[in-house]
Amino acid sequence: MARRTMSLIPHWSSRVSSVELNGTPFYFSTQEKHRGEEVPRVFRENDGRCYSLLVCSSDTIRRAKFYAELKDKLLTNLSPECHLSPMCSFLPNIKDSLLKGYFLKDTSESSSPTERLLRDLTQRDPVLVCSYLRGETGGVWTQHLWSDGDNHTMQMPKDYYVVPAEAPEHHPSTLNIINSDVFYSFEEAYQVLEKCGDIIPEARAVLELLPSREEARRKPDFPVIVIEGLDATGKTTLTESLRDALGASLLRSPPHCLSPMRARFDREPPLIRRAFYALGNYITAVQIGQEGMKTPVIVDRFWHSTAAYAIATAVSGPVCNLPAEGSEVYCWPSDVLQPSLVVCLTLDPEERRRRLRDRGQGKTEEEQELEHNQLFRLKVEKAYQRISGPACVTVDASPPADLVLQQVLLLIRGKCHL
Ligand SMILES: Nc1ncnc2c1ncn2[C@@H]1O[C@H](COP(=O)(O)OP(=O)(O)O)[C@@H](O)[C@H]1O
Ligand SMILES: Nc1ccn([C@H]2C[C@H](O)[C@@H](COP(=O)(O)OP(=O)(O)O)O2)c(=O)n1
């Protein structure tokens, strides 16, 4: 922890913080001198004491695990007069600079219980705490960075004034996507599960099922057609019909051999969950390579799903916060087999809800969230459309199943000469 804190300090005053109040981000930064700037919005009309907690550790697994637990830990141990808001700190436009945490307003009588808890956290956990103090007149606020536990030798910087900051060009939640949410090589995803082996036994089981990188890259003779889309858009119906119509093999990602481990990874923080899905694609790629030497191959979900869901979860707020079209975030990994055609089924939300209801089966938590969270659904769809190399061809899935099949067969014949 101490090492990580020290590595942050040289850039400390270049950092910008964002606190989300009712879903809207408010930005502030710090500086050594006050030049008459107004008080940042999060500190205005504020009688309480304010603190920020940022999770930071060079151990990415520990950081992801601790962040996932932190909110519950705080809500359980803090007094009801404490209010938490999501917060982050970042170096504008600098990749991998995002630190996530919470902003805490405490309106209770005594500061002691909260400060005791925060002090304990700084000593035991990978967290960086700051307190904020209002000047005598109320016109200025200063930030005080707490030292971490027993590292007395560390040179702490002096207090800084907090001042309002501009919204950055790229939304902060986009800064850490690469290799935290979306993996662009076998090695990067592999390393995450390898580091989890001691704490998640299922991670070792997944590693044992993995192919070599060469196997995952083998290009088959027959065309490979991937069908993508949100849950209940008709992927299973269409992929089974395509298999029958084309005499094709039908595969899926994640592959069946990972089904017993999937629920465990769905409970893990994004870093670990997304590494699991990323590795699933390499297993499916080997199966595609084998089957594709004999017949055409239809694949139910592949890398588009892995990337689009991960990006949509990682990026908070509206669709415009997503990385712009053309961003490297949307680039197909060079070591994943490229399908001949990717079709993305779309459906208006009302019809999709009707199909989900009619099917009446259990849904993943994420799909339930999708149903309630229109924004998330829009972000997944937008991310699907922006992925390139191969891009996906969008097909309206609202007509009857046989018409959707005919339309996709036409696309396949045009593109794959079957
Ligand atoms: N073109 C279609 N028109 C009407 N209903 C459909 C169509 N395609 C699929 N369905 C129905 O919608 C539900 C979801 O389809 P399914 O193929 O299971 O979707 P997914 O695999 O994408 O989750 C199923 O009950 C299915 O019978
Ligand atoms: N190739 C894939 C397939 C699914 N995922 C992830 C993306 C979402 O978190 C879920 C969506 O899966 P869901 O349970 O809705 O999918 P199915 O109903 O099994 O088709 O799985 C993935 O990351 N990569």
Side-chain angles (χ1 to χ4, degrees):
M1 167 63 202
R3 220 158 36 123
R4 174 73 177 169
T5 311
M6 285 175 72
S7 73
L8 284 172
I9 287 173
H11 302 293
W12 188 248
S13 58
S14 310
R15 287 194 156 262
V16 174
S17 297
S18 162
V19 176
E20 251 180 54
L21 301 176
N22 301 320
T24 307
F26 292 92
Y27 298 96
F28 68 86
S29 57
T30 55
Q31 57 193 37
E32 285 183 36
K33 290 206 169 67
H34 198 261
R35 302 184 192 95
E37 291 88 350
E38 56 182 11
V39 174
R41 168 69 208 278
V42 281
F43 299 99
R44 269 182 243 158
E45 296 153 28
N46 191 353
D47 297 327
R49 290 171 296 278
C50 297
Y51 306 90
S52 57
L53 293 90
L54 294 170
V55 179
C56 54
S57 165
S58 50
D59 178 342
T60 52
I61 307 287
R62 185 166 180 232
R63 189 164 77 196
K65 283 279 207 187
F66 182 71
Y67 177 69
E69 293 160 7
L70 180 59
K71 190 173 181 188
D72 272 354
K73 207 171 195 152
L74 292 172
L75 290 176
T76 313
N77 292 299
L78 286 169
S79 87
E81 286 107 340
C82 290
H83 181 78
L84 284 182
S85 306
M87 153 163 204
C88 66
S89 157
F90 57 97
L91 294 166
N93 304 330
I94 302 292
K95 270 188 239 154
D96 225 22
S97 67
L98 183 74
L99 300 173
K100 293 203 279 189
Y102 293 96
F103 188 77
L104 168 59
K105 272 188 192 175
D106 179 1
T107 54
S108 60
E109 289 284 301
S110 159
S111 61
S112 310
T114 299
E115 299 211 347
R116 210 173 307 122
L117 173 73
L118 297 183
R119 187 66 64 195
D120 272 4
L121 286 175
T122 57
Q123 291 186 355
R124 277 202 314 263
D125 295 306
V127 71
L128 191 64
V129 171
C130 291
S131 48
Y132 298 84
L133 295 175
R134 189 165 63 160
E136 302 262 293
T137 60
V140 292
W141 280 73
T142 51
Q143 178 194 59
H144 173 68
L145 174 63
W146 290 15
S147 68
D148 50 349
D150 50 14
N151 181 23
H152 300 300
T153 55
M154 197 172 82
Q155 264 295 308
M156 294 306 297
K158 52 180 167 287
D159 290 355
Y160 287 100
Y161 293 99
V162 290
V163 295
E166 296 277 310
E169 184 190 350
H170 301 293
H171 192 264
S173 58
T174 62
L175 296 174
N176 285 26
I177 287 178
I178 294 174
N179 294 332
S180 291
D181 297 288
V182 186
F183 297 90
Y184 298 85
S185 73
F186 181 89
E187 271 79 19
E188 294 289 352
Y190 185 94
Q191 275 171 24
V192 172
L193 286 218
E194 202 179 29
K195 284 188 211 147
C196 293
D198 291 340
I199 48 170
I200 307 173
E202 288 84 350
R204 262 185 263 142
V206 173
L207 295 178
E208 278 166 24
L209 291 167
L210 290 177
S212 70
R213 275 188 314 145
E214 288 64 37
E215 280 178 282
R217 248 194 295 241
R218 191 179 307 148
K219 189 110 185 107
D221 290 343
F222 283 87
V224 178
I225 297 115
V226 172
I227 306 298
E228 290 282 4
L230 296 171
D231 197 24
T233 47
K235 294 184 299 301
T236 307
T237 309
L238 175 66
T239 50
E240 289 177 354
S241 305
L242 286 172
R243 174 195 59 198
D244 298 343
L246 298 171
S249 301
L250 175 52
L251 297 171
R252 63 192 307 274
S253 176
H256 291 292
C257 63
L258 293 187
S259 301
M261 298 84 146
R262 189 171 177 183
R264 170 66 197 252
F265 285 97
D266 278 339
R267 293 196 300 272
E268 292 297 329
L271 174 76
I272 300 169
R273 179 166 16 126
R274 301 306 174 190
F276 165 79
Y277 282 108
L279 291 172
N281 291 326
Y282 291 92
I283 299 179
T284 298
V286 173
Q287 298 171 344
I288 295 172
Q290 289 160 353
E291 294 301 311
M293 300 313 278
K294 300 176 277 187
T295 59
V297 182
I298 308 298
V299 193
D300 187 340
R301 292 193 188 272
F302 199 43
W303 195 79
H304 272 79
S305 279
T306 312
Y309 279 76
I311 294 167
T313 315
V315 177
S316 58
V319 177
C320 63
N321 288 352
L322 286 172
E325 180 133 38
S327 157
E328 59 187 330
V329 159
Y330 302 114
C331 285
W332 193 269
S334 60
D335 63 356
V336 175
L337 176 139
Q338 289 191 349
S340 328
L341 174 67
V342 182
V343 171
C344 182
L345 301 179
T346 58
L347 207 51
D348 76 80
E350 196 42 52
E351 170 63 7
R352 198 176 141 259
R353 259 196 297 278
R354 197 185 61 70
R355 290 188 191 178
L356 274 168
R357 254 196 323 268
D358 288 356
R359 195 164 62 174
Q361 67 193 54
K363 286 169 246 151
T364 61
E365 250 175 57
E366 188 159 27
E367 279 297 339
Q368 287 176 28
E369 191 192 346
L370 260 182
E371 204 176 341
H372 294 125
N373 191 340
Q374 163 88 341
L375 256 186
F376 184 41
R377 186 182 66 75
L378 289 172
K379 282 188 278 189
V380 174
E381 288 186 333
K382 187 56 87 188
Y384 267 140
Q385 288 157 15
R386 289 187 179 168
I387 291 169
S388 63
C392 61
V393 181
T394 301
V395 167
D396 175 15
S398 47
D402 55 332
L403 291 187
V404 177
L405 171 66
Q406 291 314 318
Q407 206 195 329
V408 174
L409 281 172
L410 269 180
L411 276 174
I412 294 173
R413 296 213 168 96
K415 179 93 193 201
C416 309
H417 313 292
L418 269 177

